């Protein structure tokens, strides 16, 4: 893998990840960009003991531009985008409208028993392919491996930033999910705190040793909810799935994060994961909206308990019908799932490539 670091016109870092050593990455960004916004402010909710990022500058971010104005496509002689090069394999750059950053402003006390501090951290965009009309499910195995190497690189790099407590790699896909750019891409958040869901999971793991491994072993033994598997990974619908179509993908070896995966594990993940994504698309014959979320161990807190795994889920419950987070889910955090996990697994298995 060739790794090339450059900078955009406003000073943001951009990194190319290439398979070819002879890839030319000398193109320069000459756009007249506005100054970078100051970091969001974090406000503490004393009722839930959670931090909330207040990032008003994100209201002005680019929203569903036409394909010929996509900022994630390579630049051309006629139009400059966020990526100066005329082609790329995988590219990562600092988000122009970040939820967290190191560009601090001033942060006043707001009262209301809410502590305020800077939204320190970093937010990055990762473009999986230069092909605007592609998707993750259509990437080749070697392209997926390159994406995974980039995830490992960024996880290690962002974990070394002072104040960063957790690194989160994820993909939002589909207008139903709320994407603002349709080009195949994901994001990476470097949080200045440990997220609520991670606290819950690792709290449970602290009370039951080997919890993640036990869940994996139990699902493999039960078999009825397993969607796909190979010698190094298993994809299954969890017994207590919250979402209509939800798949968790676990490596068979406990590792804390992407940086700890072996080359063999990265290679084995690629065909299994893309087959699961294609199965989702095959359920109703339309591209399935989804969130694909990597759970990695925090940088410091209870790191020894973490078990890298992927949680993939869709809000589509039937053709033309979405699962809305209404009263019970949004107000109380109490999920009601309209599709049994066993039926979801059966339907997905029927669509998995064989």
């Amino acid at each position: 893998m060739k790794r090339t670091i450059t900078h955009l016109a406003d000073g943001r870092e951009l990194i190319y990840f290439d398979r070819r050593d002879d890839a030319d990455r000398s193109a320069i960004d000459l756009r007249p960009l506005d100054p970078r916004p100051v970091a969001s402010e974090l406000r503490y909710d004393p009722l839930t003991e959670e931090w909330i990022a207040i990032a008003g500058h994100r209201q002005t971010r680019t929203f569903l531009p036409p394909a010929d104005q996509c900022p994630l496509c390579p630049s051309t002689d006629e139009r400059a985008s966020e990526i100066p090069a005329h082609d790329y394999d995988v590219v990562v750059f600092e988000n122009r409208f970040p939820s967290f950053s190191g560009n601090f402003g001033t942060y006043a006390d707001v009262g209301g028993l809410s502590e305020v501090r800077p939204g320190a951290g970093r937010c990055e965009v990762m473009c999986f392919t230069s092909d605007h009309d592609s998707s993750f499910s259509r990437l080749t195995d070697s392209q997926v491996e390159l994406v995974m190497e980039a995830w490992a690189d960024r996880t290690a790099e962002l974990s070394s930033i002072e104040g960063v407590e957790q690194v989160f790699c994820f993909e939002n896909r589909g207008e139903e999910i709320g994407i603002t750019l349709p080009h195949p891409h994901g994001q990476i958040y470097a949080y200045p705190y440990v997220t609520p869901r991670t606290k819950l999971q690792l709290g449970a793991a602290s009370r039951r040793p080997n919890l993640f491994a036990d869940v994996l072993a139990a699902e493999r033994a039960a078999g009825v909810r397993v969607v796909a598997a190979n010698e190094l990974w298993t994809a299954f619908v969890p017994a207590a799935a919250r979402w209509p179509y939800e798949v968790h993908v676990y490596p068979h070896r406990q590792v804390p994060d992407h940086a700890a995966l072996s080359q063999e594990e990265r290679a084995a993940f690629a065909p299994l994961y893309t087959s699961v994504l294609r199965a989702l698309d095959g359920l109703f014959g339309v591209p399935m909206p989804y969130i694909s979320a990597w759970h990695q161990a925090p940088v410091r807190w209870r790191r020894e308990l973490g078990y890298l795994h992927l949680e993939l889920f869709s809000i589509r419950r039937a053709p033309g019908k979405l699962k809305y987070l209404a009263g019970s889910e949004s107000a109380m955090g109490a999920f009601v799932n309209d599709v049994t996990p066993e039926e979801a697994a059966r339907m997905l298995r029927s669509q998995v490539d064989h």
Side-chain angles (χ1 to χ4, degrees):
M1 179 186 73
K2 179 183 179 182
R3 181 178 183 269
T4 306
I5 301 176
T6 184
H7 290 83
L8 298 173
D10 56 3
R12 287 175 293 136
E13 190 173 57
L14 181 145
I15 308 167
Y16 295 101
F17 295 89
D18 292 292
R19 287 294 184 197
R20 299 186 349 263
D21 290 336
D22 61 347
D24 180 9
R25 299 306 176 208
S26 61
I28 299 174
D29 181 20
L30 299 175
R31 294 172 298 165
L33 298 179
D34 293 333
R36 299 166 69 178
V38 298
S40 63
E41 62 181 42
L42 294 181
R43 298 189 182 186
Y44 185 71
D45 182 349
L47 298 180
T48 62
E49 299 183 323
E50 295 175 1
W51 288 98
I52 310 299
I54 309 298
H57 61 272
R58 285 176 53 78
Q59 282 278 47
T60 61
R61 65 190 186 273
T62 308
F63 182 76
L64 297 177
D68 62 357
Q69 297 178 34
C70 175
L72 305 185
C73 286
S75 290
T76 66
D77 292 338
E78 295 75 31
R79 189 184 68 87
S81 73
E82 287 280 73
I83 298 95
H86 285 195
D87 65 13
Y88 63 83
D89 291 337
V90 172
V91 68
V92 176
F93 59 90
E94 290 183 78
N95 197 320
R96 191 174 175 183
F97 306 95
S99 299
F100 308 99
S101 79
N103 187 29
F104 298 159
T106 57
Y107 304 89
D109 183 13
V110 297
L113 296 183
S114 179
E115 178 187 345
V116 176
R117 60 184 173 114
R122 181 150 154 155
C123 291
E124 298 182 338
V125 176
M126 176 185 287
C127 299
F128 304 134
T129 172
S130 61
D131 184 352
H132 181 87
D133 297 317
S134 188
S135 65
F136 203 112
S137 66
R138 292 165 58 188
L139 299 182
T140 65
D141 290 350
S142 63
Q143 188 76 0
V144 174
E145 289 181 55
L146 183 59
V147 169
M148 296 190 78
E149 289 183 36
W151 278 332
D153 177 280
R154 303 317 301 147
T155 294
E157 187 83 11
L158 297 177
S159 295
S160 69
I161 296 176
E162 183 178 358
V164 167
E165 296 295 334
Q166 184 175 350
V167 178
F168 175 44
C169 306
F170 64 101
E171 180 193 3
N172 298 328
R173 187 221 193 179
E175 289 188 36
E176 300 93 332
I177 291 295
I179 62 159
T180 57
L181 297 172
H183 190 109
H185 75 286
Q187 299 181 64
I188 306 174
Y189 275 22
Y191 293 103
Y193 54 82
V194 178
T195 59
R197 185 164 172 80
T198 297
K199 281 186 175 181
L200 285 173
Q201 289 189 347
L202 296 189
S206 71
R207 295 185 291 274
R208 174 169 177 161
N210 303 314
L211 174 61
F212 294 102
D214 288 349
V215 167
L216 173 61
E219 290 295 351
R220 284 173 58 82
V224 67
R225 289 177 295 275
V226 172
V227 174
N230 58 31
E231 69 280 4
L232 297 177
W233 296 82
T234 294
F236 61 91
V237 178
R242 287 168 166 76
W243 303 94
Y245 296 95
E246 177 177 347
V247 180
H248 294 189
V249 187
Y250 277 51
H252 294 173
R253 181 174 69 99
Q254 181 169 358
V255 296
D257 56 27
H258 274 288
L261 287 172
S262 68
Q263 191 61 49
E264 292 74 19
E265 285 166 327
R266 291 173 189 156
F269 172 80
L272 182 140
Y273 180 55
T274 53
S275 71
V276 170
L277 291 180
R278 289 190 293 271
L280 278 174
D281 285 348
L283 282 178
F284 306 125
V286 295
M288 188 73 101
Y290 64 72
I291 293 173
S292 179
W294 281 104
H295 290 250
Q296 305 195 92
V299 176
R300 281 168 284 273
W301 185 78
R302 290 182 167 172
R303 182 171 174 80
E304 73 284 356
L305 298 175
Y307 193 126
L308 173 73
H309 65 283
L310 180 74
E311 297 188 6
L312 169 71
F313 55 91
S314 178
I315 61 171
R316 189 177 297 285
R317 60 184 175 86
K321 298 178 181 179
L322 300 180
K323 166 65 176 179
Y324 292 101
L325 298 191
S328 185
E329 291 88 358
S330 294
M332 291 290 107
F335 275 72
V336 179
N337 190 351
D338 303 318
V339 181
T340 67
E342 293 74 22
E343 175 63 8
R346 184 196 66 77
M347 294 174 66
L348 286 165
R349 274 197 305 272
S350 74
Q351 297 293 327
V352 169
D353 302 337
H354 293 291

PDB file of all heavy atoms in Angstrom, residues 268-293:
ATOM      1  N   ALA A 268     -10.272 -12.282   4.539  1.00  0.00           N
ATOM      2  CA  ALA A 268     -11.446 -13.140   4.730  1.00  0.00           C
ATOM      3  C   ALA A 268     -12.717 -12.324   4.938  1.00  0.00           C
ATOM      4  O   ALA A 268     -13.820 -12.777   4.606  1.00  0.00           O
ATOM      5  CB  ALA A 268     -11.228 -14.078   5.917  1.00  0.00           C
ATOM      6  N   PHE A 269     -12.581 -11.129   5.486  1.00  0.00           N
ATOM      7  CA  PHE A 269     -13.753 -10.286   5.724  1.00  0.00           C
ATOM      8  C   PHE A 269     -14.396  -9.824   4.422  1.00  0.00           C
ATOM      9  O   PHE A 269     -15.630  -9.771   4.306  1.00  0.00           O
ATOM     10  CB  PHE A 269     -13.352  -9.062   6.556  1.00  0.00           C
ATOM     11  CG  PHE A 269     -14.443  -8.035   6.704  1.00  0.00           C
ATOM     12  CD1 PHE A 269     -15.460  -8.211   7.632  1.00  0.00           C
ATOM     13  CD2 PHE A 269     -14.461  -6.893   5.914  1.00  0.00           C
ATOM     14  CE1 PHE A 269     -16.479  -7.263   7.770  1.00  0.00           C
ATOM     15  CE2 PHE A 269     -15.472  -5.944   6.037  1.00  0.00           C
ATOM     16  CZ  PHE A 269     -16.477  -6.137   6.973  1.00  0.00           C
ATOM     17  N   ALA A 270     -13.574  -9.481   3.436  1.00  0.00           N
ATOM     18  CA  ALA A 270     -14.065  -8.806   2.232  1.00  0.00           C
ATOM     19  C   ALA A 270     -15.195  -9.556   1.525  1.00  0.00           C
ATOM     20  O   ALA A 270     -16.286  -8.993   1.337  1.00  0.00           O
ATOM     21  CB  ALA A 270     -12.898  -8.543   1.282  1.00  0.00           C
ATOM     22  N   PRO A 271     -15.007 -10.809   1.096  1.00  0.00           N
ATOM     23  CA  PRO A 271     -16.093 -11.469   0.357  1.00  0.00           C
ATOM     24  C   PRO A 271     -17.319 -11.747   1.212  1.00  0.00           C
ATOM     25  O   PRO A 271     -18.444 -11.718   0.719  1.00  0.00           O
ATOM     26  CB  PRO A 271     -15.449 -12.766  -0.138  1.00  0.00           C
ATOM     27  CG  PRO A 271     -14.310 -13.014   0.800  1.00  0.00           C
ATOM     28  CD  PRO A 271     -13.813 -11.661   1.201  1.00  0.00           C
ATOM     29  N   LEU A 272     -17.117 -12.011   2.508  1.00  0.00           N
ATOM     30  CA  LEU A 272     -18.266 -12.284   3.367  1.00  0.00           C
ATOM     31  C   LEU A 272     -19.131 -11.031   3.527  1.00  0.00           C
ATOM     32  O   LEU A 272     -20.353 -11.078   3.367  1.00  0.00           O
ATOM     33  CB  LEU A 272     -17.784 -12.782   4.737  1.00  0.00           C
ATOM     34  CG  LEU A 272     -18.894 -13.148   5.733  1.00  0.00           C
ATOM     35  CD1 LEU A 272     -18.524 -14.408   6.511  1.00  0.00           C
ATOM     36  CD2 LEU A 272     -19.157 -12.007   6.718  1.00  0.00           C
ATOM     37  N   TYR A 273     -18.494  -9.913   3.791  1.00  0.00           N
ATOM     38  CA  TYR A 273     -19.250  -8.684   4.035  1.00  0.00           C
ATOM     39  C   TYR A 273     -19.978  -8.198   2.784  1.00  0.00           C
ATOM     40  O   TYR A 273     -21.161  -7.839   2.855  1.00  0.00           O
ATOM     41  CB  TYR A 273     -18.315  -7.600   4.556  1.00  0.00           C
ATOM     42  CG  TYR A 273     -18.993  -6.280   4.842  1.00  0.00           C
ATOM     43  CD1 TYR A 273     -20.103  -6.211   5.694  1.00  0.00           C
ATOM     44  CD2 TYR A 273     -18.534  -5.097   4.280  1.00  0.00           C
ATOM     45  CE1 TYR A 273     -20.733  -5.000   5.954  1.00  0.00           C
ATOM     46  CE2 TYR A 273     -19.159  -3.884   4.545  1.00  0.00           C
ATOM     47  CZ  TYR A 273     -20.256  -3.842   5.372  1.00  0.00           C
ATOM     48  OH  TYR A 273     -20.878  -2.637   5.621  1.00  0.00           O
ATOM     49  N   THR A 274     -19.305  -8.195   1.658  1.00  0.00           N
ATOM     50  CA  THR A 274     -19.982  -7.719   0.447  1.00  0.00           C
ATOM     51  C   THR A 274     -21.140  -8.649   0.060  1.00  0.00           C
ATOM     52  O   THR A 274     -22.137  -8.187  -0.491  1.00  0.00           O
ATOM     53  CB  THR A 274     -18.998  -7.571  -0.720  1.00  0.00           C
ATOM     54  OG1 THR A 274     -18.272  -8.787  -0.912  1.00  0.00           O
ATOM     55  CG2 THR A 274     -18.012  -6.429  -0.465  1.00  0.00           C
ATOM     56  N   SER A 275     -21.034  -9.936   0.370  1.00  0.00           N
ATOM     57  CA  SER A 275     -22.154 -10.839   0.079  1.00  0.00           C
ATOM     58  C   SER A 275     -23.347 -10.534   0.971  1.00  0.00           C
ATOM     59  O   SER A 275     -24.506 -10.623   0.544  1.00  0.00           O
ATOM     60  CB  SER A 275     -21.726 -12.305   0.247  1.00  0.00           C
ATOM     61  OG  SER A 275     -21.523 -12.649   1.608  1.00  0.00           O
ATOM     62  N   VAL A 276     -23.095 -10.130   2.219  1.00  0.00           N
ATOM     63  CA  VAL A 276     -24.182  -9.747   3.118  1.00  0.00           C
ATOM     64  C   VAL A 276     -24.847  -8.454   2.627  1.00  0.00           C
ATOM     65  O   VAL A 276     -26.073  -8.324   2.642  1.00  0.00           O
ATOM     66  CB  VAL A 276     -23.664  -9.582   4.564  1.00  0.00           C
ATOM     67  CG1 VAL A 276     -24.735  -8.949   5.457  1.00  0.00           C
ATOM     68  CG2 VAL A 276     -23.251 -10.938   5.139  1.00  0.00           C
ATOM     69  N   LEU A 277     -24.038  -7.495   2.174  1.00  0.00           N
ATOM     70  CA  LEU A 277     -24.598  -6.252   1.642  1.00  0.00           C
ATOM     71  C   LEU A 277     -25.465  -6.520   0.409  1.00  0.00           C
ATOM     72  O   LEU A 277     -26.545  -5.939   0.253  1.00  0.00           O
ATOM     73  CB  LEU A 277     -23.484  -5.271   1.292  1.00  0.00           C
ATOM     74  CG  LEU A 277     -22.690  -4.674   2.456  1.00  0.00           C
ATOM     75  CD1 LEU A 277     -21.623  -3.718   1.929  1.00  0.00           C
ATOM     76  CD2 LEU A 277     -23.595  -3.966   3.442  1.00  0.00           C
ATOM     77  N   ARG A 278     -24.998  -7.406  -0.461  1.00  0.00           N
ATOM     78  CA  ARG A 278     -25.801  -7.740  -1.648  1.00  0.00           C
ATOM     79  C   ARG A 278     -27.083  -8.468  -1.251  1.00  0.00           C
ATOM     80  O   ARG A 278     -28.124  -8.313  -1.903  1.00  0.00           O
ATOM     81  CB  ARG A 278     -24.974  -8.567  -2.629  1.00  0.00           C
ATOM     82  CG  ARG A 278     -23.882  -7.757  -3.335  1.00  0.00           C
ATOM     83  CD  ARG A 278     -23.254  -8.531  -4.472  1.00  0.00           C
ATOM     84  NE  ARG A 278     -22.488  -9.673  -4.002  1.00  0.00           N
ATOM     85  CZ  ARG A 278     -21.186  -9.627  -3.675  1.00  0.00           C
ATOM     86  NH1 ARG A 278     -20.519  -8.488  -3.757  1.00  0.00           N
ATOM     87  NH2 ARG A 278     -20.554 -10.710  -3.270  1.00  0.00           N
ATOM     88  N   ALA A 279     -27.014  -9.252  -0.180  1.00  0.00           N
ATOM     89  CA  ALA A 279     -28.222  -9.930   0.308  1.00  0.00           C
ATOM     90  C   ALA A 279     -29.251  -8.910   0.786  1.00  0.00           C
ATOM     91  O   ALA A 279     -30.450  -9.051   0.537  1.00  0.00           O
ATOM     92  CB  ALA A 279     -27.861 -10.897   1.433  1.00  0.00           C
ATOM     93  N   LEU A 280     -28.789  -7.866   1.475  1.00  0.00           N
ATOM     94  CA  LEU A 280     -29.709  -6.812   1.893  1.00  0.00           C
ATOM     95  C   LEU A 280     -30.389  -6.172   0.689  1.00  0.00           C
ATOM     96  O   LEU A 280     -31.606  -5.968   0.675  1.00  0.00           O
ATOM     97  CB  LEU A 280     -28.949  -5.746   2.688  1.00  0.00           C
ATOM     98  CG  LEU A 280     -28.685  -6.001   4.169  1.00  0.00           C
ATOM     99  CD1 LEU A 280     -27.798  -4.899   4.736  1.00  0.00           C
ATOM    100  CD2 LEU A 280     -29.984  -6.080   4.955  1.00  0.00           C
ATOM    101  N   ASP A 281     -29.601  -5.851  -0.330  1.00  0.00           N
ATOM    102  CA  ASP A 281     -30.168  -5.244  -1.537  1.00  0.00           C
ATOM    103  C   ASP A 281     -31.142  -6.185  -2.239  1.00  0.00           C
ATOM    104  O   ASP A 281     -32.094  -5.741  -2.885  1.00  0.00           O
ATOM    105  CB  ASP A 281     -29.050  -4.851  -2.509  1.00  0.00           C
ATOM    106  CG  ASP A 281     -28.309  -3.601  -2.072  1.00  0.00           C
ATOM    107  OD1 ASP A 281     -28.787  -2.908  -1.154  1.00  0.00           O
ATOM    108  OD2 ASP A 281     -27.238  -3.319  -2.641  1.00  0.00           O
ATOM    109  N   GLY A 282     -30.900  -7.489  -2.109  1.00  0.00           N
ATOM    110  CA  GLY A 282     -31.741  -8.457  -2.796  1.00  0.00           C
ATOM    111  C   GLY A 282     -33.072  -8.725  -2.124  1.00  0.00           C
ATOM    112  O   GLY A 282     -33.977  -9.291  -2.754  1.00  0.00           O
ATOM    113  N   LEU A 283     -33.227  -8.327  -0.876  1.00  0.00           N
ATOM    114  CA  LEU A 283     -34.454  -8.641  -0.149  1.00  0.00           C
ATOM    115  C   LEU A 283     -35.694  -8.097  -0.842  1.00  0.00           C
ATOM    116  O   LEU A 283     -36.700  -8.804  -1.007  1.00  0.00           O
ATOM    117  CB  LEU A 283     -34.379  -8.074   1.276  1.00  0.00           C
ATOM    118  CG  LEU A 283     -33.540  -8.841   2.294  1.00  0.00           C
ATOM    119  CD1 LEU A 283     -33.553  -8.105   3.625  1.00  0.00           C
ATOM    120  CD2 LEU A 283     -34.051 -10.261   2.473  1.00  0.00           C
ATOM    121  N   PHE A 284     -35.652  -6.834  -1.233  1.00  0.00           N
ATOM    122  CA  PHE A 284     -36.824  -6.193  -1.826  1.00  0.00           C
ATOM    123  C   PHE A 284     -36.552  -5.660  -3.224  1.00  0.00           C
ATOM    124  O   PHE A 284     -37.378  -4.938  -3.790  1.00  0.00           O
ATOM    125  CB  PHE A 284     -37.312  -5.061  -0.913  1.00  0.00           C
ATOM    126  CG  PHE A 284     -37.563  -5.493   0.505  1.00  0.00           C
ATOM    127  CD1 PHE A 284     -36.943  -4.836   1.560  1.00  0.00           C
ATOM    128  CD2 PHE A 284     -38.388  -6.571   0.785  1.00  0.00           C
ATOM    129  CE1 PHE A 284     -37.161  -5.242   2.864  1.00  0.00           C
ATOM    130  CE2 PHE A 284     -38.613  -6.986   2.085  1.00  0.00           C
ATOM    131  CZ  PHE A 284     -38.002  -6.323   3.134  1.00  0.00           C
ATOM    132  N   GLY A 285     -35.384  -6.010  -3.770  1.00  0.00           N
ATOM    133  CA  GLY A 285     -35.082  -5.620  -5.141  1.00  0.00           C
ATOM    134  C   GLY A 285     -34.745  -4.157  -5.332  1.00  0.00           C
ATOM    135  O   GLY A 285     -34.773  -3.661  -6.460  1.00  0.00           O
ATOM    136  N   VAL A 286     -34.421  -3.454  -4.239  1.00  0.00           N
ATOM    137  CA  VAL A 286     -34.021  -2.046  -4.310  1.00  0.00           C
ATOM    138  C   VAL A 286     -32.822  -1.861  -3.385  1.00  0.00           C
ATOM    139  O   VAL A 286     -32.649  -2.624  -2.430  1.00  0.00           O
ATOM    140  CB  VAL A 286     -35.160  -1.098  -3.879  1.00  0.00           C
ATOM    141  CG1 VAL A 286     -36.327  -1.178  -4.845  1.00  0.00           C
ATOM    142  CG2 VAL A 286     -35.620  -1.403  -2.454  1.00  0.00           C
ATOM    143  N   PRO A 287     -31.988  -0.847  -3.651  1.00  0.00           N
ATOM    144  CA  PRO A 287     -30.863  -0.593  -2.745  1.00  0.00           C
ATOM    145  C   PRO A 287     -31.359  -0.364  -1.321  1.00  0.00           C
ATOM    146  O   PRO A 287     -32.250   0.445  -1.082  1.00  0.00           O
ATOM    147  CB  PRO A 287     -30.210   0.666  -3.327  1.00  0.00           C
ATOM    148  CG  PRO A 287     -30.584   0.637  -4.778  1.00  0.00           C
ATOM    149  CD  PRO A 287     -31.972   0.064  -4.819  1.00  0.00           C
ATOM    150  N   MET A 288     -30.788  -1.106  -0.394  1.00  0.00           N
ATOM    151  CA  MET A 288     -31.248  -1.038   0.992  1.00  0.00           C
ATOM    152  C   MET A 288     -30.537   0.095   1.732  1.00  0.00           C
ATOM    153  O   MET A 288     -29.314   0.163   1.724  1.00  0.00           O
ATOM    154  CB  MET A 288     -30.964  -2.365   1.703  1.00  0.00           C
ATOM    155  CG  MET A 288     -31.575  -2.466   3.084  1.00  0.00           C
ATOM    156  SD  MET A 288     -33.369  -2.694   3.024  1.00  0.00           S
ATOM    157  CE  MET A 288     -33.505  -4.455   3.313  1.00  0.00           C
ATOM    158  N   PRO A 289     -31.278   1.005   2.370  1.00  0.00           N
ATOM    159  CA  PRO A 289     -30.619   2.002   3.223  1.00  0.00           C
ATOM    160  C   PRO A 289     -30.061   1.306   4.458  1.00  0.00           C
ATOM    161  O   PRO A 289     -30.702   0.412   5.016  1.00  0.00           O
ATOM    162  CB  PRO A 289     -31.753   2.961   3.583  1.00  0.00           C
ATOM    163  CG  PRO A 289     -32.989   2.121   3.514  1.00  0.00           C
ATOM    164  CD  PRO A 289     -32.748   1.120   2.413  1.00  0.00           C
ATOM    165  N   TYR A 290     -28.875   1.702   4.879  1.00  0.00           N
ATOM    166  CA  TYR A 290     -28.308   1.046   6.061  1.00  0.00           C
ATOM    167  C   TYR A 290     -27.303   1.951   6.759  1.00  0.00           C
ATOM    168  O   TYR A 290     -26.816   2.935   6.204  1.00  0.00           O
ATOM    169  CB  TYR A 290     -27.655  -0.287   5.707  1.00  0.00           C
ATOM    170  CG  TYR A 290     -26.446  -0.227   4.792  1.00  0.00           C
ATOM    171  CD1 TYR A 290     -25.204   0.260   5.242  1.00  0.00           C
ATOM    172  CD2 TYR A 290     -26.517  -0.698   3.486  1.00  0.00           C
ATOM    173  CE1 TYR A 290     -24.095   0.282   4.401  1.00  0.00           C
ATOM    174  CE2 TYR A 290     -25.409  -0.669   2.635  1.00  0.00           C
ATOM    175  CZ  TYR A 290     -24.202  -0.183   3.108  1.00  0.00           C
ATOM    176  OH  TYR A 290     -23.100  -0.153   2.285  1.00  0.00           O
ATOM    177  N   ILE A 291     -26.999   1.563   8.001  1.00  0.00           N
ATOM    178  CA  ILE A 291     -25.870   2.104   8.751  1.00  0.00           C
ATOM    179  C   ILE A 291     -24.954   0.929   9.061  1.00  0.00           C
ATOM    180  O   ILE A 291     -25.412  -0.117   9.525  1.00  0.00           O
ATOM    181  CB  ILE A 291     -26.325   2.796  10.049  1.00  0.00           C
ATOM    182  CG1 ILE A 291     -27.130   4.054   9.721  1.00  0.00           C
ATOM    183  CG2 ILE A 291     -25.128   3.145  10.938  1.00  0.00           C
ATOM    184  CD1 ILE A 291     -27.764   4.722  10.931  1.00  0.00           C
ATOM    185  N   SER A 292     -23.689   1.091   8.767  1.00  0.00           N
ATOM    186  CA  SER A 292     -22.684   0.069   9.032  1.00  0.00           C
ATOM    187  C   SER A 292     -21.708   0.652  10.050  1.00  0.00           C
ATOM    188  O   SER A 292     -21.002   1.616   9.752  1.00  0.00           O
ATOM    189  CB  SER A 292     -21.952  -0.301   7.736  1.00  0.00           C
ATOM    190  OG  SER A 292     -20.963  -1.277   7.983  1.00  0.00           O
ATOM    191  N   ALA A 293     -21.694   0.090  11.255  1.00  0.00           N
ATOM    192  CA  ALA A 293     -21.001   0.709  12.386  1.00  0.00           C
ATOM    193  C   ALA A 293     -19.976  -0.241  12.992  1.00  0.00           C
ATOM    194  O   ALA A 293     -20.330  -1.320  13.481  1.00  0.00           O
ATOM    195  CB  ALA A 293     -22.022   1.125  13.451  1.00  0.00           C
TER     196      ALA A 293
END
